[in-house]
Amino acid sequence: MGAPWTVLKFGGDSVATYESWRTIARETAERATHGRVLVVCSALAGVTDLLLKAVTDARSGNAGDALARVERAHLGLASAAGLDPAAPALAPMRSQLEEAARLLEGVRLTGEAPPRLTARILAVGELASTRLGEAILAKLGVKARWLDARDLLESAPRPLDPDERRYLAASVPPTRAPERVDAAAGEDRVVLTQGFIARTPEGHTCLLGRGGSDTSAALLAALSGAEALEIWTDVPGLFTADPRQVPAARLIRNIGYREARELASLGAKVLHPPCLDPVARHGIPVSIRATPHPEMPGTRIEGESEAHPAVTAVTCRPGGTLLSISTVAMWDTPGFLSRFFAPFETLGVSVDLIGTSETAVSVTLDSVPGGIDGAVFRRLLAGLGELGEVQVIHPCAVVSIVGRRIRATLGEIAPALTAFQERPVHLISNSAEDLNLSFVVDEEEGTALVRRLHDLLFSARGDDPRLGPTWERLRGAPAPEAGTAWWELRRAELLAIAGDGRAHYVYDLATVRERARRLKGALPAIDRFYYSMKANPHPAILETVAAEGFGIECVSIQEVETARARLGAGAPLLFTPNFCAVDEYVRAAALGAELTVDGPHLAREAGALLEGREVAVRLDPGWGAGHNEKVRTGGAGSKFGHPIDEFDELATALAGAGARLVGLHAHLGSGILAPQAWLALAHVLAGIAARVGPSLRWIDLGGGLGVPERPGQPELDLDALQAGLATIARALPAIEWRLEPGRYLVADAGVLLAPVTQIRRKAQTVFVGVATGMNSLIRPALYGAWHPIVNLTRHPAPPDLFAQVVGPICESGDVLGRDRWIRAPSVGDVLLIGNAGAYGRAMASSYNLRPPAEETVLA
Ligand code: LLP
C-alpha cells in the first residue's frame, strides 16, 4: 500500500486559464510531498455547452463552428502556457479534438445523435482538458500520469433505464477499492483524470449528468480510500446566504455532510448535491476552495461530531408552486393521502414540501413538467379537483433557515421571525431530519425576506468560530477613503515614530477633544460628563478631557490617586468600584471622590465611613448590553450592581448607617450602538427616583457608548438619544443627569503601529508577523474584536494580499487580524491597527516578558 491519496477536483473556470494551472501545479506539488494526489478536472469553462451545440448543429447539417470554438479555447490556453500547438506533447489533446470532429461528421451524415454517441462526443471536453493539463503540468515541473476515468468508474444501470439515463445521467455506486487506483497509478505520485465521465458495464462511455464532476471526484475519493477531497472552484466556499443577495453573507468554515447537502439542494450552487453521499459514507472530509484565491480559508465539510443545535444559513428557492386542497372528506378517512398523491405519481410530478391537517393538504412543487400552463398541470388539477377545492399559488418562494437540530434553536430564531410580519406565509414545514425550517411565501417577497432574516440571525454572531469573513470582505476590502482619518493626515509623523522597528501606541489629542465636544454638543440633556479612565488613563488624555469639562470616573484607588495627582484638588471624581475592599472606599473618600455603593455590605462593614456621608447606589436593572458577553454588566449572572427589585432594602440599610442617598447609578455594558439601551435605563431609574425622595440630586446612566467597529456599521445615533433623554429629563427637572463614557472619547484617537517582522506562507495561508501581539492589544483574542488594519507604509495603495496578521506571542490566539486584505508588505513596513485608543494599552501585559508597545502623544 502506498502513501494516502488526496483528491483535488478543479471545475471548468479553474482549468480555463494558465494562471489557474499555476495554482493547480503548486497545490498538487505541495500535497505530493507528503502523499499521493489524484487530480480530477472538468472541461474548460463553456466547452461542454459548445460540444452540445455542435451536436445539435451537426444534426441539422451544420458543420464545425462550435467545434472550431472548442479548438480555439484549447489552443488559446496552450499558447498562454507557452506551448507550441504543434508540439508532440499536445498530440494526445489534438487527437481528442480530431475524434470529436470525426464523430460529429457521423452525426451530420446520419442526422442522428443517439445518447450513446452524444455521451462520447461530450466526453471529449474532459479528455482534451486533461490531456492539455498533462502538458501544462509537465511544463510547470509536475509529472502527472494521465488516466482515463472510464478505466476507474463503472456505472450500474438499472435494467429498464432509458438510454438518456444510461448514457447521459448514469449513476456509479460508491465502492472502495484502493488496489484498483494503486495499480493504475503505478509508481507515480500524481495522477490526472477526468470528471463527468465513466463507462457502462459494456464498456461504452457514459456521463454522470450536468455538474457530475463533483460526483466523479467524490466517487474517486471513495474508490481510492482518500484521506481528503478538495473541490476547487471560483468561490471560496459555502456562505450563510447567497452572496449575490446578501453581500454581508459570511463564509461557513465548518459544516456537516447532511447540512451541506441540505444547503446544496436548497439552492447553494457551489456543490452538486449528490456528490456528498460517497464521501459521507466513507467519512472523507471535503474542503471547498477558491482557485483564484488559494490563500482563503474555504469551507470544510465533515461528519457532524458535535451535534449541538446551530443555525447555519438562510436560503431562498424561487419559482415554486403551492397547491392546496381542502375538503371535509379528509376527516377520519383512512387512505385519503394516497388518493391525493395518486395523480402526482401518474403524471410524474414530484412533491417537495408538505403540510397536512384534518381537512387540508398543501404541497409545493419545485417544477412541473410543461409549466403551470401545460397539459400535465391541467390534468393534475382536474384529478385533484375530484377530491376537494383546489387552490394554486404561483410563483412562490421557499425561504429556509438551514442548520442542525433546528427545532432546538427555536428560542434563538424566535426574534428573527419578526421578519415575516405583514408578509403572508402560506406554509411552514420542518422535516424529521430537522435540517431546515421552511416558509412558503409569495415569490416577490423572497429576496427581501432572506436579507432581513440573515440580518436578524447573523449580525450579532461576530466571533462565532464556525463563521468566517463576509463575502464583501473576501472579495476585497473597499479602497480606503483617503484623507479622512487623522492618521492619514499625520502619516509621515507616524512612520517616523515607528522607524525604530518597535511597536507604538500613538494618540491624537485633537481627536479626543473633538469627540468630547461632539458628545457635549449633541447631548444637552446630559448635565455632567465623566470620563471613564479605565479606557485609557494616559495623563495627557486625562488632562485633555478635564480641560473639556469632564469629571473622571474611577474604579480603583489607583485610578483615584492617579486622577487626583494629575488633575488637582478641583477635579470631580466619581468612585464606582466593584468587589473592592472597604479600605479603598475610605482612601477614595479622603481624596474627595464621590462614592457609589453597590450593595448593603458596605453599610455593615463601614458604618463609620457612611455616617453623615452622601453616597450613590449602583443598581442592576436586570439586563445588560454590549458588544460581547464579557462586557455586559447587567442581569442576574453579572457580578455588578444591586438588584433593582431590592432597592428598598439597600436604601434602608444605607439610611440605617447614616448615609444620605444623593445619586442613582447604573451601567449596562460596553460598546452599545442602540440609543434605546440608555433610554430604557433612564426610564427605569426615573421610576426609582420618587422612592428616594428629595435627597436625590443625580442619575448616572453609565458609559458604554459604542463606536462602529467594522466598516459599514452605523454610528451611535446621538440625536435619537438626546431626543429620548430630553423627554425623560423634563419629567424630573431638578435631577442632574450624568453619563460616563470611556471608549467614545478615545477609541478612534489611538492607533497601534506595528512594524512587519516576517512574512510566511504555510500551506495556503499567508501570515504577516508584526513586532507586537496580544501583549499590546488583547481585544481580538479576548472578544473576537475587529480592528481595521492598513499597511501605512504603502497607504493609500489598495489592498492586494489576503493574510493573517499575527504577533510574536506563544499562543495560537495571538492573531491581531484574521482573514484581512492588506497591501502586501515587505519586512519593515509599518502596519497601522486602528480604533486602538480604548482598552488597548490599558489592557496590555508583559506576557512572555515582551514589553507592550510604548505610548506617544501627538498634541
Ligand atoms: N462606567 C462603568 C461603571 C464601567 O464599568 C465602564 C466600563 C464604563 C463606564 C465605560 O464604558 P465605555 O464607555 O468605555 O464602554 N475592555 C472592554 C470594555 C470593558 C468596559 C468595562 N467597563 C473592551 O475592550 O471592549
Side-chain angles (χ1 to χ4, degrees):
M1 213 188 84
W5 289 100
T6 297
V7 176
L8 305 187
K9 182 256 165 178
F10 294 89
D13 288 315
S14 299
V15 295
T17 65
Y18 179 52
E19 191 51 38
S20 302
W21 277 98
R22 292 162 74 108
T23 303
I24 298 175
R26 198 177 54 237
E27 299 297 329
T28 302
E30 200 262 325
R31 281 161 193 69
T33 57
H34 45 80
R36 291 184 293 171
V37 192
L38 213 157
V39 180
V40 180
C41 294
S42 297
L44 307 191
V47 160
T48 306
D49 283 336
L50 284 172
L51 288 170
L52 207 50
K53 181 170 185 320
V55 171
T56 317
D57 290 354
R59 272 164 71 178
S60 52
N62 294 330
D65 176 47
L67 186 62
R69 286 166 65 192
V70 168
E71 281 168 359
R72 277 205 299 278
H74 288 82
L75 296 179
L77 174 57
S79 77
L83 294 167
D84 175 1
L90 291 183
M93 175 193 82
R94 286 194 305 269
S95 80
Q96 283 300 334
L97 297 171
E98 283 154 18
E99 174 76 355
R102 201 177 57 73
L103 295 170
L104 284 164
E105 180 59 11
V107 174
R108 194 183 67 82
L109 291 175
T110 60
E112 277 180 31
R116 196 169 111 191
L117 180 56
T118 304
R120 181 61 193 87
I121 295 171
L122 296 193
V124 165
E126 273 69 13
L127 292 165
S129 75
T130 48
R131 281 304 194 186
L132 174 54
E134 179 190 16
I136 299 178
L137 285 180
K139 178 152 192 288
L140 290 168
V142 177
K143 180 176 169 304
R145 175 184 290 219
W146 187 91
L147 284 186
D148 190 325
R150 294 170 295 186
D151 294 336
L152 296 171
L153 299 180
E154 183 178 311
S155 69
R158 280 171 299 195
L160 293 181
D161 275 351
D163 275 5
E164 273 78 16
R165 196 172 171 80
R166 183 176 290 258
Y167 295 107
L168 300 177
S171 67
V172 173
T175 40
R176 188 175 190 280
E179 63 288 347
R180 282 188 28 217
V181 182
D182 288 355
E187 293 301 304
D188 288 314
R189 295 181 77 81
V190 177
V191 163
L192 179 63
T193 192
Q194 309 79 37
F196 191 45
I197 69 174
R199 95 172 115 86
T200 65
E202 303 78 33
H204 299 300
T205 301
C206 63
L207 308 177
L208 304 188
R210 289 314 288 266
S213 287
D214 289 347
T215 308
S216 295
L219 290 165
L220 289 165
L223 188 73
S224 62
E227 57 179 15
L229 166 63
E230 300 179 16
I231 294 193
W232 288 76
T233 171
D234 50 353
V235 291
L238 296 170
F239 283 79
T240 53
D242 182 340
R244 285 166 307 182
Q245 289 173 354
V246 185
R250 293 184 60 186
L251 178 71
I252 301 170
R253 286 181 190 271
N254 296 293
I255 187 169
Y257 295 116
R258 291 186 326 133
E259 268 176 287
R261 187 180 321 108
E262 191 77 359
L263 253 185
S265 34
L266 285 172
K269 299 258 160 34
V270 179
L271 271 189
H272 193 49
C275 83
L276 288 166
D277 291 314
V279 277
R281 186 178 301 211
H282 294 279
I284 301 167
V286 182
S287 309
I288 301 176
R289 305 289 302 275
T291 313
H293 289 291
E295 71 286 5
M296 286 186 183
T299 297
R300 189 173 164 87
I301 309 171
E302 56 195 333
E304 285 98 348
S305 49
E306 24 149 24
H308 64 257
V311 174
T312 309
V314 184
T315 61
C316 174
R317 218 160 17 131
T321 306
L322 180 81
L323 255 178
S324 304
I325 160 165
S326 55
T327 167
V328 282
M330 247 183 111
W331 175 262
D332 223 8
T333 310
F336 182 87
L337 281 181
S338 85
R339 277 164 49 211
F340 174 82
F341 283 119
F344 290 90
E345 184 179 5
T346 326
L347 295 165
V349 177
S350 77
V351 162
D352 187 25
L353 304 178
I354 167 162
T356 71
S357 74
E358 280 164 337
T359 56
V361 196
S362 305
V363 295
T364 62
L365 313 175
D366 231 6
S367 65
V368 183
I372 69 156
D373 298 322
V376 169
F377 195 65
R378 257 200 318 278
R379 284 168 60 197
L380 183 67
L381 291 187
L384 294 174
E386 289 172 18
L387 300 174
E389 193 187 325
V390 183
Q391 200 199 353
V392 178
I393 298 184
H394 180 90
C396 60
V398 179
V399 171
S400 305
I401 299 175
V402 183
R404 59 174 101 112
R405 296 187 52 211
I406 283 289
R407 286 191 288 273
T409 66
L410 288 179
E412 182 191 335
I413 291 175
L417 299 184
T418 52
F420 290 99
Q421 238 159 15
E422 300 184 11
R423 293 188 163 110
V425 175
H426 304 299
L427 176 73
I428 299 182
S429 144
N430 164 256
S431 76
E433 281 201 300
D434 205 12
L435 294 167
N436 75 67
L437 180 62
S438 292
F439 304 84
V440 180
V441 298
D442 292 341
E443 189 183 55
E444 72 261 22
E445 302 281 9
T447 306
L449 270 169
V450 165
R451 289 202 184 117
R452 187 85 196 102
L453 275 175
H454 188 274
D455 197 31
L456 292 164
L457 287 168
F458 291 94
S459 59
R461 284 180 42 188
D463 45 2
D464 186 329
R466 281 184 77 212
L467 302 182
T470 63
W471 169 260
E472 293 164 308
R473 292 213 67 77
L474 283 170
R475 279 186 48 208
E481 282 173 45
T484 51
W486 67 265
W487 52 262
E488 296 186 271
L489 305 173
R490 307 190 77 162
R491 178 169 163 268
E493 282 167 89
L494 295 177
L495 289 173
I497 291 169
D500 61 2
R502 294 197 312 222
H504 294 264
Y505 272 108
V506 184
Y507 308 130
D508 177 57
L509 295 182
T511 300
V512 177
R513 231 170 267 129
E514 185 271 319
R515 282 306 181 115
R517 289 176 191 173
R518 193 194 300 180
L519 206 54
K520 286 181 104 173
L523 299 177
I526 297 297
D527 303 290
R528 188 181 272 270
F529 287 91
Y530 288 77
Y531 168 57
S532 182
M533 71 181 279
K534 63 179 85 55
N536 188 331
H538 191 283
I541 288 182
L542 295 184
E543 280 164 6
T544 303
V545 296
E548 294 301 318
F550 280 60
I552 306 291
E553 186 256 346
C554 314
V555 288
S556 68
I557 186 60
Q558 290 77 10
E559 286 191 355
V560 173
E561 286 169 353
T562 303
R564 185 57 81 217
R566 196 62 176 177
L567 303 175
L573 305 185
L574 176 62
F575 190 47
T576 46
N578 171 244
F579 283 91
C580 115
V582 169
D583 167 59
E584 284 193 36
Y585 277 100
V586 174
R587 288 160 61 195
L591 285 169
E594 288 182 281
L595 302 188
T596 301
V597 176
D598 66 352
H601 62 289
L602 214 63
R604 289 194 300 273
E605 294 163 25
L609 170 72
L610 297 184
E611 178 65 47
R613 185 171 296 281
E614 295 189 337
V615 295
V617 289
R618 174 165 181 177
L619 296 172
D620 172 2
W623 81 89
H627 69 79
N628 183 279
E629 192 55 50
K630 296 189 180 83
V631 301
R632 293 175 202 144
T633 48
S638 113
K639 68 183 179 124
F640 298 94
H642 185 76
I644 201 156
D645 304 339
E646 297 165 24
F647 168 76
D648 292 336
E649 287 91 319
L650 178 58
T652 310
L654 290 174
R660 189 177 151 78
L661 186 50
V662 296
L664 294 177
H665 177 285
H667 171 75
L668 293 171
S670 191
I672 307 169
L673 287 165
Q676 295 77 7
W678 294 276
L679 299 181
L681 182 62
H683 207 73
V684 169
L685 293 181
I688 298 280
R691 280 149 65 185
V692 181
S695 66
L696 187 70
R697 283 210 309 272
W698 54 266
I699 295 179
D700 184 332
L701 300 174
L705 289 81
V707 295
E709 192 179 71
R710 291 170 185 261
Q713 237 178 352
E715 299 249 354
L716 172 61
D717 184 348
L718 292 177
D719 294 341
L721 184 55
Q722 163 60 23
L725 286 176
T727 312
I728 299 170
R730 225 172 283 135
L732 291 172
I735 295 293
E736 173 185 293
W737 291 85
R738 298 181 176 182
L739 271 184
E740 48 186 50
R743 181 193 315 270
Y744 191 86
L745 299 181
V746 290
D748 284 335
V751 296
L752 173 60
L753 304 178
V756 173
T757 55
Q758 223 184 92
I759 299 152
R760 205 140 72 91
R761 183 186 280 271
K762 203 175 138 196
Q764 296 77 33
T765 309
V766 178
F767 291 97
V768 171
V770 292
T772 194
M774 65 197 287
N775 55 326
S776 288
L777 183 65
I778 200 172
R779 301 190 73 251
L782 191 57
Y783 313 119
W786 192 94
H787 288 261
I789 301 182
V790 298
N791 183 342
L792 190 65
T793 306
R794 322 247 158 203
H795 190 75
D800 58 356
L801 176 70
F802 186 82
Q804 318 296 318
V805 178
V806 300
I809 299 297
C810 295
E811 281 202 27
S812 47
D814 185 27
V815 179
L816 292 172
R818 203 177 286 284
D819 298 336
R820 294 311 179 81
W821 280 100
I822 54 173
R823 184 68 183 187
S826 302
V827 169
D829 279 8
V830 176
L831 299 196
L832 176 142
I833 299 156
N835 194 9
Y839 305 107
R841 172 68 202 218
M843 295 176 77
S845 74
S846 298
Y847 187 32
N848 289 184
L849 295 186
R850 290 189 185 277
E854 283 167 18
E855 298 170 289
T856 304
V857 169
L858 302 179

